Amino acid sequence: MSVEVIPCETAAHLIARCPHADALIMWVQPVTADVLAALPHLKVISRLGTGVDSIDVPAANRHGVVVTNVPDANSEEVATHTMGLALAAHRRLPSFDKSVRQGQWHSAPIHGEIRRPSEQTFGVIGYGKIGSRVAKLFDQRCTDLRIHRCPICTDWPVTSARG
């Protein structure tokens, strides 16, 4: 067995570069009925990420191709990005960035009051794979921050270092 990493930007690239592929591991590239018809050796497609909406699953079924996904593939990255965006919003970084790029330097009162994380409450609405990771990241890095968890589904267990 050999494994090759072959970047494919379009369906035509995929068909041209992988005509004898037995398996595909995809990220966002759509796998259409035309692609499936052009890859007769294909047995399995695995999508790195939640869902398989970029794959024509009925066409894959007709061709006998198994379709899988890796739902946790990006959970940590999405949670980390969410934490970064939340902190950027809390510190009003977009407003400061804009004024600095315009050659201005203003203190906090121009942009509104900025309070310490220890004086804030951070809310997590939805406590699935991503929400629980976001709460865990804040638990680990912002130990004085109060975290309010609001699970969407009440029968999910809600636990953390702080309860």
Side-chain angles (χ1 to χ4, degrees):
M1 173 167 71
S2 67
V3 176
E4 295 179 55
V5 176
I6 304 172
C8 298
E9 296 176 11
T10 66
H13 286 160
L14 183 57
I15 292 167
R17 295 177 182 171
C18 306
H20 302 292
D22 293 310
L24 297 174
I25 300 175
M26 309 299 292
W27 197 301
V28 294
Q29 174 64 41
V31 180
T32 64
D34 292 339
V35 170
L36 289 158
L39 302 177
H41 302 283
L42 198 58
K43 296 175 184 69
V44 64
I45 302 167
S46 184
R47 182 175 177 299
L48 291 174
T50 302
V52 292
D53 54 325
S54 61
I55 301 168
D56 187 337
V57 176
N61 289 338
R62 287 192 301 275
H63 289 277
V65 176
V66 175
V67 176
T68 67
N69 68 339
V70 185
D72 285 335
N74 302 321
S75 295
E76 183 175 354
E77 290 80 2
V78 172
T80 304
H81 192 72
T82 300
M83 182 180 186
L85 291 173
L87 289 171
H90 166 72
R91 300 303 292 184
R92 293 184 175 73
L93 293 183
S95 178
F96 279 106
D97 177 67
K98 181 179 178 183
S99 64
V100 169
R101 289 177 188 269
Q102 292 173 345
Q104 303 166 2
W105 181 260
H106 298 291
S107 60
I110 287 278
H111 300 280
E113 180 187 3
I114 296 178
R115 298 183 332 195
R116 294 180 175 181
S118 61
E119 299 170 349
Q120 301 288 301
T121 299
F122 180 76
V124 179
I125 299 173
Y127 209 72
K129 292 176 184 180
I130 305 295
S132 60
R133 284 187 185 229
V134 170
K136 184 177 180 180
L137 285 171
F138 273 102
D139 274 339
Q140 293 169 342
R141 289 170 179 80
C142 302
T143 55
D144 292 335
L145 181 70
R146 293 180 306 273
I147 300 175
H148 180 72
R149 294 157 181 85
C150 181
I152 293 172
C153 181
T154 56
D155 51 342
W156 288 345
V158 179
T159 59
S160 78
R162 293 191 230 162

